Amino acid sequence: MRRRLGLGLTGLATIAALVIPPWLAWREAQRQAWAAEAEHALAVARDVLHRTDEAALQIIKGNRTLARSGLKPCSPASLALMRRIALGSSYIHAIGWVENGVLVCSSMGPFPIPLGSDVVHTNSGALLYPNVPLPGAAQGALLAVEGGGYATIIHRDTPVDASGAAAGVARGVLHLSSRRAVVAHGRLDPAWVGRLGAASTTTFADGDMLVAIVRSRLDTIAAVAAVPLTGVAQRAHAIALRLVPAGLVSGLVAATAIGLLLRRRMSLGMSLAAALRRGEFFLLYQPIVDLQTGRWVGAEALLRWRRANGELVGPDVFIPAAEQSGQIVKLTEHVIDVVGRDAGAFLRAHPDFHVAINLSAADVQSPAIVDRLAAMLASCGARPSNLIVEITERGFLHLEAAREVIRLLRAQGIGVAIDDFGTGYSSLSYLESLDLDYLKIDRAFIEAIGTDAPTSGVVGLIIEMARSMQLAMIAEGIENPAQAAYLRERGVEFAQGWLFGKPMPFADIAHGADGLRHAA
């Protein structure tokens, strides 16, 4: 079942590796295309706004010049000043004195020019005449702005003659309050200004157009540019031609890597049984010491694999492969048998010494492991107190089965430790529901002692919790005297790590344990 599940998950991972990178590449192409087209639309809108604001500044300056001249409206001197203002401006077509919507006189001469009946009242108090019916000019070609008794006429195309606007780009100026187009080139929807809100710029899609709006700082108007979304699609296609193949290559590389990993795992799984038959697995033992006395009181059995060609395969590689292939229980049985051969005689003669054996999640799902351990003890004459079994937190995923196995182990007199506490799935509620003897503090927390790492304070909390639950503690991964002193001062009973000894054959463990005992 676990094998089929692993194969299924690997298949899904392979499919995801093939599909997701090209999909992400396509999405990235769309994002880049949208960003590029939106920036183009914003650039056109900003150009329209720049021209509009420049025209507005020239209008304001011209009106102020006339108002401050002190000249009598429509006098020869006033008309001469009007002509100088119009000639000196790049945007102003005509400027003059206005009364009741009529340009009484202007830089064009002392004859009246009606400004039209279409009037927009701006928030600044100025009047806007969007369609000035000037004789000789095309219908709707001119607009006028009135303020302070003077009016200025400009060409409507002046603001929208944006240099960056390509064919098919609609652009113009919208009045924010009245939501109407002041000037426009192409189809603009005045309702678009409602999307601006309080922002200074915005871009969005509406129908088949990408719209950009930029607010003016001078008045309640905004410049608008709208580009066809077909440009986004075309640009996205062009970008995708570069990105999607790269995504496909990445997906193929990832899928190949997953396939190779699966093949390796399956190959390892098939090789495990053969390795067991050929005797390629062996045990090393790392001493466990009493922190108060320094005596070696036990050792942890560590499984190692040396292939026939001399290659060492790490447990971080072959243990997951054994779990996935269903070989882990046979490996555990092999470990139990080797412990009996390696350490049986020593354990029989030293009832206060123990060997710790690691059990997998699969091992603690059946009481058969209890019988296996009992048979080994009986065969070598050792006592149940000579054994401790270490169960990782994953072993408690199926809590009821694990609880029964633990009960049977402890009923035999075999000690039970939770291994690598704090790095897996368990919690305080798990511990409280299980009958345990030892708690092993993971090396990740030991390494943080005396550092600024976020986990540096976790060791103290684990110690207090274990003490409150009357669990003996074994700290693993101790590499320096400062770590040992820290744990010793806080009442941690046992420890293992390179400070006390690296993994070694059991003969060296027996020699070292006897040597320390005689020295004491």
Side-chain angles (χ1 to χ4, degrees):
M1 176 66 183
R2 181 176 298 176
R3 180 183 176 88
R4 289 197 300 271
L5 178 61
L7 289 173
L9 291 175
T10 303
L12 289 176
T14 303
I15 294 172
L18 287 171
V19 172
I20 291 178
W23 178 78
L24 290 175
W26 171 243
R27 291 296 303 270
E28 175 62 15
Q30 291 179 311
R31 187 197 67 79
Q32 290 186 21
W34 173 272
E37 288 296 298
E39 186 55 39
H40 170 228
L42 281 170
V44 174
R46 290 190 180 103
D47 191 34
V48 170
L49 185 61
H50 173 73
R51 292 169 179 272
T52 302
D53 287 346
E54 284 294 312
L57 290 173
Q58 290 186 14
I59 289 170
I60 293 170
K61 181 179 179 181
N63 288 351
R64 286 179 179 173
T65 300
L66 287 173
R68 294 173 180 175
S69 67
L71 299 174
K72 184 178 179 180
C74 298
S75 65
S78 178
L79 292 173
L81 179 57
M82 293 175 188
R83 284 191 289 271
R84 287 197 301 273
I85 292 172
L87 289 173
S89 169
S90 56
Y91 292 110
I92 295 176
H93 180 73
I95 186 170
W97 176 256
V98 65
E99 291 181 356
N100 299 322
V102 176
L103 205 60
V104 179
C105 61
S106 69
S107 56
M108 300 177 66
F111 49 84
I113 301 174
L115 299 179
S117 57
D118 190 6
V119 183
V120 176
H121 294 265
T122 68
N123 290 355
S124 62
L127 300 180
L128 183 65
Y129 298 86
N131 298 286
V132 178
L134 185 66
Q139 179 66 29
L142 303 173
L143 64 84
V145 179
E146 177 187 340
Y150 294 93
T152 305
I153 299 175
I154 64 171
H155 283 283
R156 292 174 60 88
D157 287 341
T158 297
V160 298
D161 189 19
S163 59
V169 178
R171 53 203 185 272
V173 178
L174 300 179
H175 192 261
L176 298 179
S177 298
S178 64
R179 293 197 177 185
R180 62 174 293 178
V182 178
V183 293
H185 179 84
R187 184 185 66 84
L188 298 180
D189 185 353
W192 286 341
V193 298
R195 303 284 291 270
L196 183 61
S200 58
T201 64
T202 187
T203 57
F204 56 89
D206 183 42
D208 59 350
M209 303 296 286
L210 189 162
V211 182
I213 304 178
V214 182
R215 185 193 301 273
S216 172
R217 294 176 296 175
L218 298 179
D219 206 344
T220 54
I221 58 172
V224 182
V227 301
L229 282 174
T230 54
V232 176
Q234 292 169 357
R235 191 186 291 266
H237 179 73
I239 298 173
L241 289 177
R242 301 193 306 270
L243 296 184
V244 171
L248 285 170
V249 171
S250 299
L252 287 172
V253 170
T256 301
I258 293 172
L260 291 174
L261 178 62
L262 174 62
R263 182 178 178 181
R264 183 183 182 189
R265 283 286 178 87
M266 294 179 66
S267 176
L268 281 173
M270 290 185 291
S271 300
L272 287 170
L276 278 169
R277 290 194 303 270
R278 291 194 293 262
E280 295 178 4
F281 287 99
F282 64 98
L283 292 182
L284 295 178
Y285 300 81
Q286 186 171 35
I288 298 173
V289 306
D290 184 321
L291 268 178
Q292 298 302 320
T293 65
R295 290 180 53 241
W296 290 10
V297 296
E300 180 181 1
L302 302 172
L303 186 62
R304 297 291 185 263
W305 180 10
R306 181 183 288 110
R307 286 181 157 175
N309 61 4
E311 175 193 2
L312 281 172
V313 182
D316 58 326
V317 174
F318 70 77
I319 293 297
E323 291 177 333
Q324 185 177 11
S325 63
Q327 298 286 335
I328 190 66
V329 173
K330 292 183 178 179
L331 282 182
T332 302
E333 292 174 352
H334 177 72
V335 168
I336 294 172
D337 292 343
V338 175
V339 167
R341 292 197 299 269
D342 287 349
F346 183 84
L347 295 177
R348 185 171 60 250
H350 299 84
D352 58 344
F353 195 89
H354 73 266
V355 172
I357 296 175
N358 290 281
L359 300 185
S360 71
D363 293 322
V364 294
Q365 301 309 302
S366 168
I369 188 65
V370 182
D371 297 333
R372 188 80 183 191
L373 291 168
M376 183 271 285
L377 291 171
S379 68
C380 65
R383 300 164 181 80
S385 60
N386 287 127
L387 283 186
I388 292 177
V389 295
E390 298 183 3
I391 306 172
T392 63
E393 297 185 30
R394 289 189 299 112
F396 303 130
L397 286 178
H398 302 286
L399 188 57
E400 290 305 318
R403 184 183 287 116
E404 176 62 15
V405 171
I406 290 172
R407 185 189 67 80
L408 294 173
L409 288 168
R410 298 188 77 245
Q412 293 279 340
I414 298 173
V416 179
I418 179 173
D419 194 12
D420 300 337
F421 177 75
T423 64
Y425 303 90
S426 71
S427 63
L428 183 59
S429 62
Y430 269 47
L431 290 182
E432 291 174 338
S433 68
L434 297 169
D435 291 326
L436 302 172
D437 300 290
Y438 300 90
L439 184 150
K440 292 198 74 173
I441 305 174
D442 186 72
R443 69 176 62 248
F445 302 119
I446 302 301
E447 291 170 350
I449 292 175
T451 70
D452 295 328
T455 55
S456 60
V458 176
V459 174
L461 298 176
I462 293 176
I463 292 172
E464 291 301 320
M465 181 188 68
R467 184 177 294 115
S468 69
M469 300 182 66
Q470 298 181 337
L471 297 178
M473 290 168 279
I474 306 171
E476 60 181 355
I478 298 177
E479 297 183 356
N480 59 65
Q483 293 170 342
Y486 177 95
L487 296 165
R488 186 183 304 113
E489 291 169 1
R490 285 158 179 78
V492 175
E493 294 90 346
F494 307 107
Q496 66 184 97
W498 284 17
L499 178 65
F500 310 109
K502 296 181 180 180
M504 61 189 74
F506 192 81
D508 295 338
I509 290 287
H511 179 75
D514 278 338
L516 288 172
R517 182 179 284 105
H518 294 323

